[in-house]
Amino acid sequence: MKKTANNTQIITGNYAVALAAKLSRVQVVAAYPITPQSPATETLSQFVEKGELDAEYVRVESEHSALAVCIAASTVGARTFTATSANGLAYMCEQLHWAAGARLPIVLACANRAMGAPWNVLNDQQDSISQRDTGWIQIYARNSQEILDSIIQAYRIAEKLYVPAMVCYDGYILSHTVMPVEVPRQEQVDRFLPPYKPHTVLDPSTPQNLNLVTLANPRRDARGVMCHGYMELRYLLQEALENSLETVVEVDREFGDVFGRSYGGTHWGYRLEDATLILMAMGSVATEATVAVDQLRQRGHRAGLLALRVYRPFPKQDVISATKRAELIVVFDKNISYGYEGATCSDLKAALYGNSIQVPVHNYIVGLGGRDVKARELADAAERSLRWAEEGRPQKEVEWLNCHI
Amino acid sequence: MTESVLSLPDKEYMLPGNRTCAGCSLGIAYRHILKALGESTIVTVPASCLTVLHGMYPITSVNIPCMNVTFPSTAAAAAGLVAGLKAIGKKGITVVGFAGDGGTHDIGIQALSGAAERNTDFIYICYDNEAYMNTGGQRSSSTPLGATTTTTPVLGKAQHQKDMPAIMAAHRVPYVATASSSYPLDLYEKVKKARDIMGTRFLYISTPCPPGWLFPPKDTVKIGRLAVETGMVVLYEIENGGFRLTGASERLAAKGSLRPVREYIELQGRFRHITKDQIEELQRWVDSRWEEYLARQTPRPPDYSTLQN
Amino acid sequence: MHTIDCGHISSVSSPSIGEAGRTGDWRDSTPVIDPQKCIPMKRNKPSCFLCWLYCPEAAINRGIPVEIDLEYCKGCGICAEECPAGAITLVEESNLTIR
């Protein structure tokens, strides 16, 4: 591990976001205010106005337009950045689809916040989970350092595959909490992250038209070459997302070589080696769950944690390998797919049960709208799940933790 | 310089054999707009009839680079093109957002207002066929009073058109102009003028639609001309706040009389349900607007183009 | 049939005439120019060309003789309507004997 600890700053997650964008030499920033994301983009505007970052900062009138600006600027070859939260991300929805369909490697930081109605500015992950199927890579960070490093990594991943990437970090819990962060040197980042090259140049010298109406079936171009139909283009996007699993791991490893820090690629574990009781979570809940694992170990359970770092693409094989000794898996979701269960729980079950691994999975919906999640509560919940499994799973498979209804 | 049919450039950027309906006035307007803009141009287009004109993947019928964008985002996308081109150091490209009345007056107004307030250095062109023609002719906020659309099928529209050029003029952008596909030379001159101005430039173009307005395709130019001659459409420009009537409208003002609105209405099937009261109301609306225009002459306009975007 | 050879990862279109095919097939009547009446043809001097100006299809040339590209002309009839000399008439396709 290389030691470069001489540039450690005590900063919030939002400040780490701004620093990461600056270090990535973003060329166009477009953003609209929303709590708890705002300090990140305020800081970026400061960098630009002070001349510390040579970028165009477009102070748009909505999140929809923020992503429109990024889409257009990315199309002509500029590295673009935006950040948002909750309803802002939801307002971007059609643009998220558009960015992925146009294969533009935009990076977006999402300070996770609960969706209205009713209004709530505090954290859960319903916002980004709701945008799961837009074709974006989703990375969930656990602390300010990982936020900063993941954004730099996200540009490498996105620009290699021409797929947009979202770095998610829990609102307030990470966005507004100060932590020590080792800030990489610009030259190091420049070596790690080469300039962005667009896949298609939109320029008057070669007049092309991007994203016209595309038919269901393939169609020949004027020279007679058979070109894709809509479905083939969608297949290529899916293929890129699938390939991105490998790219995420590669980029994380290379990042480790250069900066001395890496994050386990698609996932990370805590005391997993001999664990038979496995807790699964994402983002800051995963950090909290490490403490719960220690408590469960003290109570005599062989507990461990599997934390998802990348939610899309879903690291199916990694999840299967990481849980192969599991006798029970307890999934904590800071989101709910209404009418079913937590989103990561469904994906885990699909990965396991589709491969004939019949381990019981118990799901807790936790921390919605900023409801506090304590390590002890997670540990107690895991013990309840043990009893649930022993008793032949009598109650519901999905429970709401700390819900006093 | 006053343009003539002979002075317009030969080069066609809009190619024949495209998907527009027979007699589409957008084809006339777009041809001459692109001639005026020239090849150092990038256009951005939301869902609209222009998308249809541009063709279907992998072939486009237009020789100008184009980026399609979501319905509400034309002006924001244009702002992104401007920012992106500046960021990568490409100079001398005119960025043009090009949308219909639905994409401008309705779903695109927020992004357009934002871009105009920031005085984004681009041209926004709204071609107005007075309904959502690409989706089958539903009512828009630019549909005139009394017009039948597929969502005002029985009673016709009960309100007047939204005055989009006035809304844009209220943003104090350097250049606002109205034009008509029936007066291509006036249109060409305005686009050329707009091309060489800095900041947000807004052009509104009246584009009659044979299948939507229900008149024979051969009458497209005639209907557009009648719109101007009756004052339903008025040709003007507002340069740095200074208003002046132009072209045919200027000549009508000098002559002192408009033709009655009834002459325009009776040639179009979309007005088949209009009532006598509505025709009178439409005439009052035209007359009062015309009086306002006649009264608005600015002797020495300020220069908004110096305000940086 | 494979489409991967086109090399596109997104929808990228290049310009060509006839994107919608031979749009002349849409026509039910055909514009015919009378060279005796057409102003530039009669005078043998570039002038008028209002048919060229107003053609929504860019299917008329601005030269002498004035020619209409019948491969793509959709037969809207604007040229005939706007011709100040009445030199263009629309003839129903079924009545056209010579092309």
Side-chain angles (χ1 to χ4, degrees):
Chain A
M1 295 278 266
K2 284 178 188 163
K3 196 75 188 134
T4 53
N6 50 3
N7 191 15
T8 300
Q9 298 183 23
I10 313 292
I11 56 175
T12 61
N14 276 332
Y15 197 84
V17 165
L19 269 184
K22 175 171 173 268
L23 286 164
S24 301
R25 293 193 188 278
V26 298
Q27 294 165 291
V28 172
V29 179
Y32 184 77
I34 188 167
T35 302
Q37 160 272 146
S38 302
T41 46
E42 285 168 2
T43 306
L44 272 169
S45 68
Q46 205 174 74
F47 290 160
V48 172
E49 289 198 355
K50 282 182 173 173
E52 294 169 23
L53 171 62
D54 183 17
E56 295 297 310
Y57 192 113
V58 188
R59 293 155 186 88
V60 287
E61 79 303 324
S62 76
E63 289 90 353
H64 194 280
S65 289
L67 204 42
V69 166
C70 290
I71 285 168
S74 183
T75 299
V76 292
R79 183 172 287 157
T80 60
F81 180 76
T82 187
T84 189
S85 296
N87 292 59
L89 186 67
Y91 195 31
M92 284 179 178
C93 178
E94 70 162 336
Q95 302 287 59
L96 293 170
H97 282 278
W98 198 274
R103 303 295 297 271
L104 299 169
I106 298 161
V107 172
L108 177 155
C110 174
N112 287 114
R113 164 183 157 181
M115 293 293 306
W119 282 125
N120 177 304
V121 297
L122 302 175
N123 166 248
D124 65 39
Q125 295 168 348
Q126 193 71 27
D127 51 359
S128 51
I129 292 287
S130 301
Q131 305 303 332
R132 181 189 68 183
D133 299 333
T134 53
W136 284 58
I137 292 169
Q138 289 197 359
I139 298 172
Y140 288 78
R142 80 199 86 153
N143 55 44
S144 297
Q145 184 74 62
E146 190 174 359
I147 294 170
L148 186 145
D149 293 346
S150 295
I151 287 173
I152 297 168
Q153 289 188 9
Y155 278 108
R156 263 289 293 277
I157 299 162
E159 290 172 10
K160 180 174 177 192
L161 300 160
Y162 296 109
V163 173
M166 196 181 291
V167 175
C168 306
Y169 59 112
D170 289 313
Y172 287 109
I173 299 167
L174 298 180
S175 68
H176 284 63
T177 307
V178 290
M179 296 180 205
V181 172
E182 201 179 309
V183 180
R185 292 197 312 275
Q186 185 67 59
E187 317 83 73
Q188 278 181 304
V189 179
D190 290 345
R191 269 202 305 280
F192 179 77
L193 186 62
Y196 160 53
K197 288 194 195 77
H199 58 79
T200 306
V201 179
L202 188 67
D203 186 88
S205 61
T206 46
Q208 290 177 307
N209 191 313
L210 308 185
N211 300 302
L212 268 178
V213 174
T214 297
L215 297 165
N217 289 327
R219 186 185 182 208
R220 287 188 198 281
D221 68 11
R223 294 163 304 146
V225 177
M226 189 59 87
C227 297
H228 308 304
Y230 182 87
M231 202 150 163
E232 284 74 20
L233 290 171
R234 281 296 168 269
Y235 179 88
L236 291 170
L237 178 59
Q238 162 68 358
E239 189 180 65
L241 262 289
E242 282 179 352
N243 292 342
S244 71
L245 274 174
E246 206 177 303
T247 308
V248 164
V249 174
E250 261 172 36
V251 166
D252 188 42
R253 193 187 304 125
E254 272 183 57
F255 191 90
D257 293 343
V258 177
F259 301 97
R261 291 181 301 276
S262 57
Y263 297 94
T266 61
H267 66 288
W268 54 280
Y270 180 71
R271 304 183 81 167
L272 260 183
E273 298 70 30
D274 62 339
T276 53
L277 169 61
I278 294 180
L279 280 50
M280 190 174 103
M282 199 160 72
S284 64
V285 196
T287 309
E288 198 66 20
T290 60
V291 183
V293 164
D294 291 340
Q295 292 171 355
L296 286 163
R297 291 259 171 183
Q298 280 163 15
R299 298 179 200 178
H301 305 291
R302 283 205 302 193
L305 167 75
L306 166 62
L308 287 178
R309 178 167 179 255
V310 175
Y311 175 58
R312 278 295 178 276
F314 191 74
K316 185 169 82 173
Q317 288 307 330
D318 294 339
V319 163
I320 291 172
S321 331
T323 58
K324 60 177 179 282
R325 271 177 302 276
E327 288 164 14
L328 171 66
I329 304 173
V330 184
V331 182
F332 299 102
D333 268 302
K334 265 200 168 181
N335 66 80
I336 170 82
S337 176
Y338 292 105
Y340 197 29
E341 60 190 358
T344 69
C345 181
S346 292
D347 287 341
L348 172 74
K349 284 178 175 173
L352 298 177
Y353 301 165
N355 287 277
S356 305
I357 303 165
Q358 298 299 327
V359 57
V361 175
H362 204 204
N363 188 200
Y364 289 96
I365 306 302
V366 304
L368 299 189
R371 179 71 55 91
D372 197 23
V373 183
K374 294 187 175 67
R376 183 182 41 74
E377 291 162 349
L378 297 176
D380 292 349
E383 284 192 318
R384 283 204 299 283
S385 296
L386 279 170
R387 285 197 293 281
W388 165 84
E390 279 160 18
E391 288 162 13
R393 314 183 211 173
Q395 304 129 7
K396 288 197 294 185
E397 287 182 5
V398 188
E399 289 185 37
W400 288 52
L401 192 69
N402 257 340
C403 180
H404 306 294
I405 199 87
Chain B
M1 183 188 119
T2 307
E3 300 290 345
S4 73
V5 181
L6 294 174
S7 70
L8 298 184
D10 243 336
K11 174 145 187 177
E12 299 287 350
Y13 296 94
M14 189 201 82
L15 306 174
N18 60 59
R19 272 169 213 273
T20 51
C21 307
C24 176
S25 64
L26 177 58
I28 307 173
Y30 203 40
R31 273 182 67 207
H32 299 298
I33 288 166
L34 294 182
K35 283 173 190 281
L37 290 169
E39 62 193 14
S40 193
T41 300
I42 296 180
V43 304
T44 181
V45 178
S48 81
C49 288
L50 187 55
T51 321
V52 177
L53 185 155
H54 272 235
M56 286 187 186
Y57 170 76
I59 307 172
T60 177
S61 56
V62 177
N63 244 326
I64 290 282
C66 172
M67 180 182 69
N68 288 277
V69 292
T70 57
F71 207 0
S73 68
T74 315
L81 288 174
V82 170
L85 291 168
K86 198 169 170 193
I88 63 167
K90 262 192 199 171
K91 294 192 174 87
I93 297 175
T94 307
V95 171
V96 183
F98 211 121
D101 48 305
T104 303
H105 298 53
D106 293 343
I107 199 168
I109 195 170
Q110 173 179 308
L112 175 56
S113 175
E117 182 270 333
R118 298 190 300 272
N119 201 19
T120 302
D121 187 20
F122 83 122
I123 301 177
Y124 189 102
I125 300 178
C126 167
Y127 68 95
D128 186 9
N129 50 32
E130 301 182 354
Y132 288 83
M133 292 313 181
N134 187 34
T135 46
Q138 296 82 7
R139 170 208 196 272
S140 82
S141 60
S142 192
T143 302
L145 176 71
T148 302
T149 66
T150 55
T151 50
T152 54
V154 179
L155 302 175
K157 192 184 171 194
Q159 300 83 17
H160 285 298
Q161 295 171 276
K162 186 188 279 185
D163 191 349
M164 201 59 212
I167 291 169
M168 293 310 294
H171 285 72
R172 307 279 185 219
V173 293
Y175 188 69
V176 173
T178 64
S180 160
S181 55
S182 293
Y183 298 91
L185 297 177
D186 176 70
L187 169 62
Y188 178 87
E189 282 179 22
K190 283 169 177 165
V191 176
K192 227 175 125 184
K193 184 178 206 171
R195 192 190 62 184
D196 299 331
I197 294 172
M198 288 274 288
T200 300
R201 295 140 276 169
F202 178 81
L203 268 104
Y204 164 94
I205 303 163
S206 167
T207 50
C209 170
W213 296 10
L214 300 173
F215 61 80
K218 69 177 174 60
D219 291 339
T220 295
V221 174
K222 186 164 91 183
I223 294 286
R225 207 181 287 127
L226 259 175
V228 173
E229 287 168 355
T230 56
M232 281 295 289
V233 170
V234 178
L235 307 181
Y236 60 82
E237 53 183 17
I238 306 172
E239 220 178 330
N240 297 312
F243 177 95
R244 74 177 189 94
L245 293 170
T246 60
S249 293
E250 191 181 11
R251 290 192 292 275
L252 283 164
K255 206 179 78 180
S257 68
L258 297 173
R259 292 167 73 166
V261 162
R262 183 182 293 276
E263 290 183 19
Y264 172 72
I265 284 169
E266 61 194 13
L267 295 177
Q268 301 171 54
R270 65 171 170 163
F271 289 112
R272 64 192 176 278
H273 297 312
I274 197 166
T275 63
K276 199 168 155 284
D277 286 351
Q278 282 176 323
I279 295 175
E280 281 168 15
E281 169 54 29
L282 206 50
Q283 188 65 62
R284 280 196 297 275
W285 179 78
V286 164
D287 291 345
S288 71
R289 214 173 54 150
W290 182 243
E291 290 304 317
E292 263 176 52
Y293 290 142
L294 293 178
R296 277 176 69 190
Q297 307 292 343
T298 312
R300 276 198 52 207
D303 184 3
Y304 296 151
S305 67
T306 54
L307 303 178
Q308 197 39 263
N309 56 80
Chain C
M1 179 185 70
H2 295 288
T3 61
I4 197 75
D5 296 339
C6 74
H8 297 155
I9 63 164
S10 65
S11 176
V12 180
S13 302
S14 296
S16 174
I17 58 164
E19 187 280 322
R22 287 169 46 112
T23 50
D25 292 347
W26 300 9
R27 222 170 40 232
D28 54 16
S29 48
T30 298
V32 177
I33 304 174
D34 180 349
Q36 304 303 312
K37 291 187 187 166
C38 168
I39 296 165
M41 282 161 89
K42 199 169 66 182
R43 292 189 194 155
N44 195 26
K45 191 177 149 213
S47 52
C48 183
F49 294 130
L50 289 181
C51 53
W52 170 85
L53 184 74
Y54 287 119
C55 177
E57 198 60 30
I60 303 180
N61 79 331
R62 188 177 49 173
I64 299 169
V66 174
E67 285 172 325
I68 301 173
D69 186 346
L70 294 177
E71 187 97 352
Y72 299 117
C73 164
K74 292 169 184 162
C76 69
I78 290 176
C79 53
E81 195 68 20
E82 294 304 317
C83 177
I88 306 175
T89 37
L90 279 178
V91 182
E92 270 191 46
E93 287 281 310
S94 53
N95 295 339
L96 267 186
T97 46
I98 311 155
R99 178 72 64 87

